[in-house]
PDB file of all heavy atoms in Angstrom:
ATOM      1  N   LEU A  81     -45.900 102.734 234.913  1.00 98.00           N
ATOM      2  CA  LEU A  81     -46.301 102.830 233.435  1.00 98.00           C
ATOM      3  C   LEU A  81     -45.324 103.560 232.545  1.00 98.00           C
ATOM      4  O   LEU A  81     -45.144 103.130 231.415  1.00 98.00           O
ATOM      5  CB  LEU A  81     -47.681 103.372 233.250  1.00 98.00           C
ATOM      6  CG  LEU A  81     -48.769 102.530 233.934  1.00 98.00           C
ATOM      7  CD1 LEU A  81     -50.126 103.345 233.779  1.00 98.00           C
ATOM      8  CD2 LEU A  81     -49.019 101.223 233.085  1.00 98.00           C
ATOM      9  N   SER A  82     -44.696 104.628 233.075  1.00 97.00           N
ATOM     10  CA  SER A  82     -43.872 105.390 232.210  1.00 97.00           C
ATOM     11  C   SER A  82     -42.616 104.610 231.652  1.00 97.00           C
ATOM     12  O   SER A  82     -41.866 104.179 232.479  1.00 97.00           O
ATOM     13  CB  SER A  82     -43.439 106.668 232.816  1.00 97.00           C
ATOM     14  OG  SER A  82     -42.662 107.497 232.103  1.00 97.00           O
ATOM     15  N   ALA A  83     -42.495 104.635 230.310  1.00 97.00           N
ATOM     16  CA  ALA A  83     -41.272 103.953 229.688  1.00 97.00           C
ATOM     17  C   ALA A  83     -40.630 104.697 228.658  1.00 97.00           C
ATOM     18  O   ALA A  83     -39.774 104.233 227.924  1.00 97.00           O
ATOM     19  CB  ALA A  83     -41.672 102.575 229.237  1.00 97.00           C
ATOM     20  N   SER A  84     -41.201 105.890 228.370  1.00 93.00           N
ATOM     21  CA  SER A  84     -40.670 106.680 227.275  1.00 93.00           C
ATOM     22  C   SER A  84     -40.676 108.115 227.633  1.00 93.00           C
ATOM     23  O   SER A  84     -41.663 109.025 227.231  1.00 93.00           O
ATOM     24  CB  SER A  84     -41.445 106.404 226.024  1.00 93.00           C
ATOM     25  OG  SER A  84     -40.972 106.988 224.833  1.00 93.00           O
ATOM     26  N   PRO A  85     -39.704 108.618 228.352  1.00 94.00           N
ATOM     27  CA  PRO A  85     -39.692 110.122 228.763  1.00 94.00           C
ATOM     28  C   PRO A  85     -39.900 111.071 227.683  1.00 94.00           C
ATOM     29  O   PRO A  85     -40.440 112.088 227.910  1.00 94.00           O
ATOM     30  CB  PRO A  85     -38.233 110.180 229.382  1.00 94.00           C
ATOM     31  CG  PRO A  85     -37.869 108.929 229.967  1.00 94.00           C
ATOM     32  CD  PRO A  85     -38.511 107.813 228.728  1.00 94.00           C
ATOM     33  N   GLU A  86     -39.383 110.681 226.560  1.00 94.00           N
ATOM     34  CA  GLU A  86     -39.542 111.804 225.454  1.00 94.00           C
ATOM     35  C   GLU A  86     -41.007 111.871 224.953  1.00 94.00           C
ATOM     36  O   GLU A  86     -41.384 112.824 224.259  1.00 94.00           O
ATOM     37  CB  GLU A  86     -38.674 111.368 224.214  1.00 94.00           C
ATOM     38  CG  GLU A  86     -38.978 110.037 223.587  1.00 94.00           C
ATOM     39  CD  GLU A  86     -38.309 108.805 224.212  1.00 94.00           C
ATOM     40  OE1 GLU A  86     -37.736 108.979 225.386  1.00 94.00           O
ATOM     41  OE2 GLU A  86     -38.339 107.692 223.523  1.00 94.00           O
ATOM     42  N   HIS A  87     -41.916 110.988 225.520  1.00 91.00           N
ATOM     43  CA  HIS A  87     -43.238 111.144 224.997  1.00 91.00           C
ATOM     44  C   HIS A  87     -44.224 111.712 226.240  1.00 91.00           C
ATOM     45  O   HIS A  87     -45.396 111.630 226.158  1.00 91.00           O
ATOM     46  CB  HIS A  87     -43.761 109.810 224.545  1.00 91.00           C
ATOM     47  CG  HIS A  87     -43.186 109.433 223.214  1.00 91.00           C
ATOM     48  ND1 HIS A  87     -42.274 108.543 223.191  1.00 91.00           N
ATOM     49  CD2 HIS A  87     -43.586 109.759 222.043  1.00 91.00           C
ATOM     50  CE1 HIS A  87     -41.903 108.332 221.851  1.00 91.00           C
ATOM     51  NE2 HIS A  87     -42.735 108.959 221.194  1.00 91.00           N
ATOM     52  N   GLU A  88     -43.562 112.196 227.235  1.00 95.00           N
ATOM     53  CA  GLU A  88     -44.223 112.627 228.334  1.00 95.00           C
ATOM     54  C   GLU A  88     -44.613 114.071 228.315  1.00 95.00           C
ATOM     55  O   GLU A  88     -43.765 114.867 227.849  1.00 95.00           O
ATOM     56  CB  GLU A  88     -43.551 112.441 229.610  1.00 95.00           C
ATOM     57  CG  GLU A  88     -43.277 110.954 229.981  1.00 95.00           C
ATOM     58  CD  GLU A  88     -42.310 110.709 231.231  1.00 95.00           C
ATOM     59  OE1 GLU A  88     -41.751 111.650 231.778  1.00 95.00           O
ATOM     60  OE2 GLU A  88     -42.096 109.609 231.517  1.00 95.00           O
ATOM     61  N   GLN A  89     -45.856 114.419 228.492  1.00 96.00           N
ATOM     62  CA  GLN A  89     -46.227 115.848 228.584  1.00 96.00           C
ATOM     63  C   GLN A  89     -47.626 116.041 229.196  1.00 96.00           C
ATOM     64  O   GLN A  89     -48.489 115.240 228.940  1.00 96.00           O
ATOM     65  CB  GLN A  89     -46.379 116.355 227.014  1.00 96.00           C
ATOM     66  CG  GLN A  89     -46.865 117.776 226.854  1.00 96.00           C
ATOM     67  CD  GLN A  89     -45.817 118.827 226.926  1.00 96.00           C
ATOM     68  OE1 GLN A  89     -44.821 118.651 226.588  1.00 96.00           O
ATOM     69  NE2 GLN A  89     -46.233 120.001 227.570  1.00 96.00           N
ATOM     70  N   CYS A  90     -47.800 116.928 230.112  1.00 96.00           N
ATOM     71  CA  CYS A  90     -49.092 117.130 230.737  1.00 96.00           C
ATOM     72  C   CYS A  90     -49.857 116.078 231.260  1.00 96.00           C
ATOM     73  O   CYS A  90     -51.158 116.004 231.044  1.00 96.00           O
ATOM     74  CB  CYS A  90     -49.991 118.041 229.605  1.00 96.00           C
ATOM     75  SG  CYS A  90     -49.172 119.455 229.008  1.00 96.00           S
ATOM     76  N   GLY A  91     -49.197 115.139 231.892  1.00 97.00           N
ATOM     77  CA  GLY A  91     -49.829 113.992 232.419  1.00 97.00           C
ATOM     78  C   GLY A  91     -50.008 112.832 231.362  1.00 97.00           C
ATOM     79  O   GLY A  91     -50.486 111.806 231.825  1.00 97.00           O
ATOM     80  N   TRP A  92     -49.478 112.983 230.246  1.00 97.00           N
ATOM     81  CA  TRP A  92     -49.356 111.904 229.254  1.00 97.00           C
ATOM     82  C   TRP A  92     -48.157 111.092 229.240  1.00 97.00           C
ATOM     83  O   TRP A  92     -47.150 111.706 229.458  1.00 97.00           O
ATOM     84  CB  TRP A  92     -49.631 112.497 227.858  1.00 97.00           C
ATOM     85  CG  TRP A  92     -50.994 113.157 227.524  1.00 97.00           C
ATOM     86  CD1 TRP A  92     -51.443 114.084 228.168  1.00 97.00           C
ATOM     87  CD2 TRP A  92     -51.820 112.604 226.546  1.00 97.00           C
ATOM     88  NE1 TRP A  92     -52.771 114.458 227.518  1.00 97.00           N
ATOM     89  CE2 TRP A  92     -52.924 113.485 226.662  1.00 97.00           C
ATOM     90  CE3 TRP A  92     -51.874 111.711 225.617  1.00 97.00           C
ATOM     91  CZ2 TRP A  92     -54.072 113.487 225.763  1.00 97.00           C
ATOM     92  CZ3 TRP A  92     -52.995 111.642 224.687  1.00 97.00           C
ATOM     93  CH2 TRP A  92     -54.067 112.430 224.757  1.00 97.00           C
ATOM     94  N   LEU A  93     -48.157 109.813 229.009  1.00 97.00           N
ATOM     95  CA  LEU A  93     -47.075 108.988 229.029  1.00 97.00           C
ATOM     96  C   LEU A  93     -47.330 107.826 228.047  1.00 97.00           C
ATOM     97  O   LEU A  93     -48.385 107.627 227.672  1.00 97.00           O
ATOM     98  CB  LEU A  93     -46.631 108.445 230.489  1.00 97.00           C
ATOM     99  CG  LEU A  93     -47.673 107.520 231.144  1.00 97.00           C
ATOM    100  CD1 LEU A  93     -47.546 106.147 230.631  1.00 97.00           C
ATOM    101  CD2 LEU A  93     -47.299 107.626 232.679  1.00 97.00           C
ATOM    102  N   LYS A  94     -46.196 107.226 227.668  1.00 96.00           N
ATOM    103  CA  LYS A  94     -46.239 105.850 226.958  1.00 96.00           C
ATOM    104  C   LYS A  94     -45.604 104.917 227.850  1.00 96.00           C
ATOM    105  O   LYS A  94     -44.650 104.983 228.351  1.00 96.00           O
ATOM    106  CB  LYS A  94     -45.514 106.077 225.606  1.00 96.00           C
ATOM    107  CG  LYS A  94     -46.298 106.417 224.397  1.00 96.00           C
ATOM    108  CD  LYS A  94     -45.608 106.226 223.256  1.00 96.00           C
ATOM    109  CE  LYS A  94     -46.477 106.739 222.019  1.00 96.00           C
ATOM    110  NZ  LYS A  94     -45.813 106.636 220.766  1.00 96.00           N
ATOM    111  N   ASP A  95     -46.325 103.717 227.789  1.00 97.00           N
ATOM    112  CA  ASP A  95     -45.720 102.650 228.550  1.00 97.00           C
ATOM    113  C   ASP A  95     -44.817 101.805 227.634  1.00 97.00           C
ATOM    114  O   ASP A  95     -44.549 101.995 226.455  1.00 97.00           O
ATOM    115  CB  ASP A  95     -46.873 101.783 229.056  1.00 97.00           C
ATOM    116  CG  ASP A  95     -47.656 100.918 228.134  1.00 97.00           C
ATOM    117  OD1 ASP A  95     -47.250 100.681 226.956  1.00 97.00           O
ATOM    118  OD2 ASP A  95     -48.858 100.679 228.547  1.00 97.00           O
TER     119      ASP A  95
END
Side-chain angles (χ1 to χ4, degrees):
L81 293 171
S82 179
S84 183
E86 64 273 16
H87 291 100
E88 296 173 355
Q89 175 85 32
C90 304
W92 292 61
L93 62 80
K94 265 193 186 181
D95 70 22

